[in-house]
């Protein structure tokens, strides 16, 4: 009897309690082996098909490898030459101009449509589905439809306007606007969904209270709606600018970089020079620089926009 009592007391001492609690925590926090069997194949596949090619590409960016045959190590010559190449600088200028204009238009149009689709309108779910259709369509297929529209239909419909009387895709000055139209038309679908998700998190009682106080629709938007969806605005701006900087498919479908190189983006230049122009190492260096640029721009956007969210 004494032995049993002593054992019970020993098991209830603070030291034994702490050990037992630590053991329970280890058992509860330890992930089952099945999770590792699911995660490791994905990690290995990602490393083999993504990380390893990236590292190999970075290595070749310090060589003169043309994509075939022999090569020599040349250090940072490719990176230095990039900043002296007028074609590369023009491609960066076009990509940033296109991305900024398309980002502004996409978010302005998407937010306006999202506000309308969030209102109490008839067949609201139907219209939401209609506006999401462009996102699920193949951009190349739609691009060729837009190409026919800009090159054949629009000149006939707007024949009285000098800008549209001829094929705008052959106009070196304004061809980029047609690419913006196609890219914005498709990108709006995804941005609308993001904004709708944000709008549905706003309690309706806030609008009712604002209406009772006599706040106008514009005041409700600036004081309630936009501050409460600022996080969703940040997501859309960052994703839009990043995606538009990497524009490729709309350009291939509409102008293929023309007329001349007036609508040649950085991604199209990397593809052309790296895979068919014998500039594999040179354009790989361009890709490394472009990756750094996009990363810096995205981080800068996050820093500025999140600080704005805090101000709200």
């Amino acid at each position: 009897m004494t032995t049993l009592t002593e054992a019970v007391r020993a098991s209830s001492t603070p030291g034994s309690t702490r050990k037992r609690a630590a053991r329970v925590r280890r058992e509860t926090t330890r992930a089952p082996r099945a999770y590792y069997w699911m995660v490791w194949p994905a990690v290995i596949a990602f490393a083999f098909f993504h990380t390893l090619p990236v590292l190999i590409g970075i290595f070749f960016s310090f060589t003169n490898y043309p994509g075939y045959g022999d090569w020599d190590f040349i250090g940072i010559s490719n990176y230095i030459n990039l900043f002296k190449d007028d074609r590369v600088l023009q491609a960066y200028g076009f990509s940033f101009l296109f991305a900024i204009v398309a980002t502004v238009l996409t978010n302005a149009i998407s937010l306006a449509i999202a506000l309308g689709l969030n209102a109490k309108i008839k067949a609201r779910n139907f219209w939401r589905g209609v506006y999401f259709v462009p996102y699920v369509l193949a951009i190349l297929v739609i691009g060729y439809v837009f190409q026919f529209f800009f090159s054949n239909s629009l000149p006939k419909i707007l024949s009285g306007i000098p800008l549209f009387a001829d094929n705008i895709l052959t106009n070196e000055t304004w061809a980029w606007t047609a690419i913006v139209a196609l890219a914005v038309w498709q990108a709006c679908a995804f941005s609308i969904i993001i904004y709708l998700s944000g709008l549905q998190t706003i309690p309706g009682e806030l609008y009712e209270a604002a209406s009772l106080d006599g706040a106008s629709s514009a005041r409700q938007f600036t004081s309630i709606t936009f501050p409460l969806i600022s996080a969703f605005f940040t997501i859309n701006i960052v994703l839009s600018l990043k995606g538009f900087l990497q524009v490729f498919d709309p350009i291939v479908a509409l102008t293929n970089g023309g007329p001349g190189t007036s609508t040649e983006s950085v991604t199209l230049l990397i593809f052309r020079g790296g895979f068919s122009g014998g500039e594999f190492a040179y354009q790989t260096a361009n890709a490394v620089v472009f990756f750094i640029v996009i990363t810096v721009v995205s981080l800068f956007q996050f820093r500025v926009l999140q600080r704005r969210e805090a101000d709200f």
Side-chain angles (χ1 to χ4, degrees), residues 90-103 106 179-180 183 187 236-251 263-270 286-287 289-301:
Q90 179 184 342
Y92 273 87
F94 168 78
S95 296
F96 271 94
L97 172 65
F98 171 86
I100 293 171
V101 173
T103 298
T106 297
I179 304 172
V180 169
N236 263 338
I237 289 292
V238 173
L239 291 180
S240 297
L241 188 62
K242 181 184 74 68
F244 288 134
L245 281 174
Q246 302 176 71
V247 61
F248 181 82
D249 292 344
I251 296 176
T263 60
E264 187 177 58
S265 65
V266 178
T267 52
L268 183 61
L269 176 60
I270 292 172
N286 192 8
V289 173
F290 194 45
F291 168 76
I292 295 173
V293 169
I294 291 178
T295 302
V296 171
V297 169
S298 298
L299 293 176
F300 176 76
Q301 282 182 284

Side-chain angles (χ1 to χ4, degrees), residues 13 17 32-33 44 50 56 59 90 100 112 122 141 147 151 161 166 187-188 191 210 212 245 249-250 253 280 309:
T13 57
T17 302
R33 290 184 178 180
I44 294 172
H50 181 272
I56 293 175
F59 171 79
Q90 179 184 342
I100 293 171
K122 293 182 179 180
V141 175
Q147 183 190 54
S151 60
I161 302 177
D166 296 325
C188 278
S191 296
L212 293 175
L245 281 174
D249 292 344
F280 181 84
E309 291 176 25

Side-chain angles (χ1 to χ4, degrees), residues 4 6 11 14 17 19 40 115-116 130 150 175 184 188 216 262 281 301:
L4 179 60
E6 292 175 352
S11 63
T17 302
K19 292 180 181 179
W40 277 113
L115 289 171
V130 169
F150 283 119
V184 169
C188 278
S216 62
S262 60
Q301 282 182 284

Side-chain angles (χ1 to χ4, degrees), residues 162-199:
L163 178 61
F164 299 103
D166 296 325
N167 184 0
I168 193 175
L169 299 178
T170 61
N171 189 317
E172 186 174 347
T173 304
W174 296 104
W176 68 277
T177 59
I179 304 172
V180 169
L182 171 57
V184 169
W185 179 81
Q186 191 195 36
C188 278
F190 182 77
S191 296
I192 289 172
I193 296 299
I194 299 296
Y195 281 128
L196 275 175
S197 301
L199 292 171

Side-chain angles (χ1 to χ4, degrees), residues 17-74:
T17 302
R18 285 195 296 269
K19 292 180 181 179
R20 186 164 60 252
R23 185 173 65 254
V24 172
R25 283 197 299 269
R26 287 196 301 269
E27 293 176 353
T28 55
T29 58
R30 185 181 301 166
R33 290 184 178 180
Y35 293 164
Y36 292 103
W37 285 110
M38 289 187 289
V39 170
W40 277 113
V43 172
I44 294 172
F46 181 84
F48 183 77
F49 292 106
H50 181 272
T51 307
L52 182 61
V54 168
L55 296 177
I56 293 175
I58 293 175
F59 171 79
F60 276 115
S61 69
F62 296 99
T63 69
N64 61 354
Y65 184 55
Y68 54 86
D70 299 329
W71 53 270
D72 296 313
F73 188 80
I74 60 173

